[in-house]
């Protein structure tokens, strides 16, 4: 039996993948009940591909909202650039915004249906792991912190998230790295924006930034839908990185108080959210080892990344499938874990580092560099749409999700570069 520590997105996706390959597993989850917590999460096409293979595309598309396009604005509400997303950009799979709690419930329901209710044991915290030649022994406590009868398993996969207790046991000097960017997040029910299928980025991290996207379909009658928003500001964090920490509107609203456009009232969007959560933007330096004998790391426990490239859940579900494939191919969990690590460690380390160096609002930053922090009359005088498209394509390439067959011809790329050097912006 493979013991999975943590029943989040990665742990539940792993349980489903193992079941499909006939491998027994049990999930041990710290929380006493599965509540719909969190706010919105974006599932990029490569995440949807994995979830579709688990039979989950239909409920996700029903409860979430498929993105048709992505739009970039300066903080004065002027459109800088837009591009199609997901299936509308030629990917074979959609890009979907969904409430993280709903996604979690969809996975949990499916695990109970396919593996039975006993496959996920709630209210069990893993506090330590011992190994011997035949297997592993899990030390677990209940919700009150009381030690329980130890559990034996052939191997352990730690899917216990960014603050992983299992990783702490094996990785020396394990610590989160804070960028100096703090975020506040909420969900507001309101009239849809631009027809309700657009992912919006407004402003930049220098001026204050809003990321806004729908996470439910617009209601046919009222046109209302759930809209997720994230406010990002360069500022010290006042809380540790806890996904459920409550935030205060007064701490960040002043930055956005005059962001009122014909098409959106940002302060109202923020004020009308039922709840506000605060989460500092953190990740961890890539670690050179994930596998420690019969124990391996997966999802955020293995490669926590800044939650701003929409790639955390995608990489977690790819880990889950890769692990299950390797466990199916190799009888010995230690060998399977090492093979999985060989496939996934460097690939995810590149994404963690890209997320640090190349923020997804690079387009807005570039325009701010050229125009300054003021409205523009004619954006083409500073930068062309082709140049912006080249920048966007490059980002997707490094972040590991370029559109199949969409690369701009080299001639267009070099023309975009040379036209700019010939006609410098005013
Ligand atoms: C409550 C919560 C809310 C979130 N909200 C958002 C959001 O709004 N937007 C977003 O983009 N991302 C959010 N995330 C993060 C996102 O789910 C992950 O980045 C990504 O999906 C990778 O999933 P994961 O399974 O590796 O980690 P997670 O989804 O973080 O799951 C880890 C799981 O392990 C459990 N756990 C932790 N320690 C132990 C232990 N010692 N023993 C047993 N179980 C343990 C946790 O309770 C949790 O269920 C949230 C995560 C959590 C836990």
């Amino acid at each position: 039996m493979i013991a999975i520590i943590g029943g989040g997105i990665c742990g539940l996706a792993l349980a489903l993948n193992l079941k499909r390959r006939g491998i027994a597993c049990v999930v041990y989850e710290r929380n006493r009940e599965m509540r719909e917590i969190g706010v919105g999460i974006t599932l990029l096409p490569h995440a949807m591909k994995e979830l579709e293979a688990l039979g989950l595309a239909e409920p996700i598309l029903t409860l979430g909202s498929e993105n048709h396009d992505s739009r970039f604005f300066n903080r004065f509400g002027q459109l800088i650039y837009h591009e199609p997303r997901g299936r509308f950009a030629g990917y074979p799979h959609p890009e979907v915004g969904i409430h993280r709690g709903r996604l979690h419930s969809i996975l949990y329901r499916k695990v109970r249906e396919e593996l039975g209710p006993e496959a996920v044991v709630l209210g069990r915290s893993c506090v330590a792991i011992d190994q011997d030649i035949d297997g592993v022994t899990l030390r677990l406590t209940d919700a009150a912190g009381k030690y329980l009868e130890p559990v034996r398993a052939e191997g352990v996969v730690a899917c216990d998230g960014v603050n992983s207790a299992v990783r702490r046991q094996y990785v020396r000097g394990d610590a989160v790295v804070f960028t100096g960017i703090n975020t506040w997040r909420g969900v507001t029910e309101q009239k849809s924006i631009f027809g309700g299928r657009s992912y919006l980025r407004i402003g930049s991290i220098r001026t204050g930034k809003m990321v806004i996207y729908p996470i439910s379909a617009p209601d046919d009658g009222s046109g209302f839908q759930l809209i997720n928003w994230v406010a990002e500001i360069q500022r010290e964090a006042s809380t540790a990185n806890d996904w459920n920490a409550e935030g205060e509107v007064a701490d960040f609203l002043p930055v956005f108080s005059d962001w009122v456009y014909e098409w959106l009232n940002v302060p109202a969007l923020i004020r009308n959210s039922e709840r506000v959560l605060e989460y500092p933007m953190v990740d961890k330096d890539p670690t050179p080892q994930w596998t420690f004998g019969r124990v391996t790391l997966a999802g955020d426990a293995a490669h926590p990344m800044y939650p701003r490239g929409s790639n955390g859940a995608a990489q977690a579900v790819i880990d889950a499938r890769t692990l299950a494939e390797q466990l199916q191919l190799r009888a010995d969990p230690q060998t399977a874990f090492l093979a999985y690590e060989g496939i996934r460690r460097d690939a995810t380390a590149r994404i963690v580092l890209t997320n640090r160096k190349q923020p997804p609002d690079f387009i807005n930053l570039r325009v701010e560099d050229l125009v300054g922090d003021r409205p523009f009359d004619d954006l083409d005088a500073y930068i062309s749409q082709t140049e912006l498209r080249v920048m966007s394509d490059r980002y997707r390439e490094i972040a590991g999700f370029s559109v199949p067959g969409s690369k701009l011809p080299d001639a267009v790329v070099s023309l975009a570069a040379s036209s700019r050097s010939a006609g410098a912006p005013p």
Side-chain angles (χ1 to χ4, degrees):
M1 181 273 277
I2 298 294
I4 300 171
I5 309 301
I9 309 296
C10 186
L12 297 179
L14 176 59
L16 290 170
N17 271 288
L18 290 174
K19 169 71 181 169
R20 280 174 160 61
R21 293 166 178 85
I23 300 165
C25 66
V26 176
V27 180
Y28 297 93
E29 164 57 43
R30 178 176 59 186
N31 287 330
R32 256 187 304 184
E33 50 177 340
M34 293 294 207
R35 286 181 300 128
E36 292 205 340
I37 40 188
V39 287
I41 200 163
T42 301
L43 298 169
L44 294 173
H46 52 299
M48 284 303 292
K49 177 181 173 195
E50 303 292 335
L51 294 161
E52 194 174 316
L54 298 174
L56 298 171
E58 199 258 339
I60 290 174
L61 280 165
T62 305
L63 290 180
S65 173
E66 180 168 4
N67 290 333
H68 292 192
D69 64 15
S70 166
R71 304 183 191 204
F72 297 75
F73 296 86
N74 64 11
R75 76 180 178 97
F76 307 99
Q78 293 178 296
L79 181 66
I80 292 171
Y81 176 69
H82 67 102
E83 62 185 9
R85 299 292 288 187
R87 290 193 280 210
F88 297 82
Y91 290 95
H93 302 278
E95 176 182 301
V96 182
I98 188 167
H99 193 290
R100 189 243 174 219
R102 287 196 179 155
L103 170 68
H104 194 219
S105 292
I106 291 170
L107 280 157
Y108 184 45
R109 209 171 309 125
K110 189 79 169 167
V111 170
R112 286 171 64 91
E113 246 170 59
E114 294 195 359
L115 284 80
E118 64 291 343
V120 181
V121 188
L122 298 175
R124 296 289 181 272
S125 268
C126 175
V127 288
I129 297 170
D130 299 324
Q131 299 192 45
D132 54 53
I133 195 142
D134 300 318
V136 284
T137 305
L138 295 185
R139 309 282 163 192
L140 299 167
T141 59
D142 67 11
K146 196 176 115 219
Y147 275 86
L148 301 161
E149 190 64 25
V151 168
R152 289 286 288 171
E154 286 166 69
V156 174
V157 183
C159 302
D160 51 345
V162 54
N163 297 321
S164 167
V166 180
R167 175 166 164 147
R168 246 191 334 267
Q169 180 178 338
Y170 292 101
V171 177
R172 208 174 302 148
D174 184 44
V176 291
V177 178
F178 176 57
T179 39
I181 298 172
N182 205 7
T183 77
W184 290 263
R185 302 169 306 134
V187 175
T188 304
E189 191 170 8
Q190 69 152 56
K191 197 110 186 135
S192 60
I193 312 163
F194 301 129
R197 298 290 183 179
S198 298
Y199 187 107
L200 316 175
R201 287 191 182 87
I202 315 174
S204 79
I205 200 53
R206 290 192 293 240
T207 63
K209 178 181 149 194
M210 289 294 297
V211 176
I212 299 168
Y213 56 92
I215 55 170
S216 71
D219 180 79
D220 282 343
S222 66
F224 272 52
Q225 67 184 148
L226 293 178
I227 297 183
N228 184 75
W229 54 264
V230 185
E232 295 179 16
I233 302 178
Q234 244 156 359
R235 189 185 290 171
E236 276 313 304
S238 55
T239 60
N241 65 305
D242 169 0
W243 284 110
N244 285 320
E246 296 284 339
E248 288 295 331
V249 167
D251 288 343
F252 65 101
L253 186 64
V255 172
F256 305 100
S257 58
D258 59 349
W259 291 29
V260 179
Y261 320 124
E262 269 171 29
W263 50 273
L264 175 67
N265 183 327
V266 174
L269 177 79
I270 293 171
R271 272 196 300 264
N272 291 335
S273 176
E274 215 171 85
R275 225 183 140 199
V276 173
L277 301 172
E278 181 177 348
Y279 190 84
M281 186 97 69
V282 295
D283 68 1
K284 287 183 181 174
D285 292 330
T287 176
Q289 190 181 351
W290 287 1
T291 301
F292 307 89
R294 290 176 178 270
V295 178
T296 198
L297 310 174
D300 277 4
H303 44 69
M305 53 187 73
Y306 294 153
R308 66 177 177 190
S310 311
N311 222 338
Q315 297 307 316
V317 292
I318 297 173
D319 286 353
R321 190 245 314 143
T322 312
L323 253 169
E325 280 171 358
Q326 294 308 315
L327 281 162
Q328 186 183 28
L329 284 172
R330 298 159 215 273
D332 172 25
Q334 307 190 61
T335 326
F337 289 170
L338 284 171
Y340 145 78
E341 177 178 335
I343 299 168
R344 297 292 296 148
R345 189 163 44 79
D346 289 353
T348 51
R350 273 195 298 278
I351 298 170
V352 170
L353 298 176
T354 302
N355 258 1
R356 276 187 189 176
K357 280 199 303 259
Q358 175 80 298
D361 59 336
F362 56 93
I363 284 188
N364 295 9
L365 285 166
R366 178 78 184 123
V367 168
E368 245 177 60
D369 284 342
L370 296 169
V371 179
D373 181 24
R374 56 193 164 106
F376 51 77
D377 289 330
D378 174 17
L379 185 61
D380 280 337
Y382 297 89
I383 191 160
S384 72
Q385 291 296 304
T386 310
E387 282 169 285
L388 293 171
R389 158 118 195 251
V390 169
M391 287 172 67
S392 176
D393 281 358
R394 284 220 181 101
Y395 173 77
R396 277 198 296 248
E397 215 174 299
I398 332 174
F401 58 104
S402 35
V403 187
S406 79
K407 251 178 131 255
L408 281 175
D410 287 346
V412 176
V413 175
S414 51
L415 187 66
S418 64
S419 67
R420 191 48 49 200
S421 53

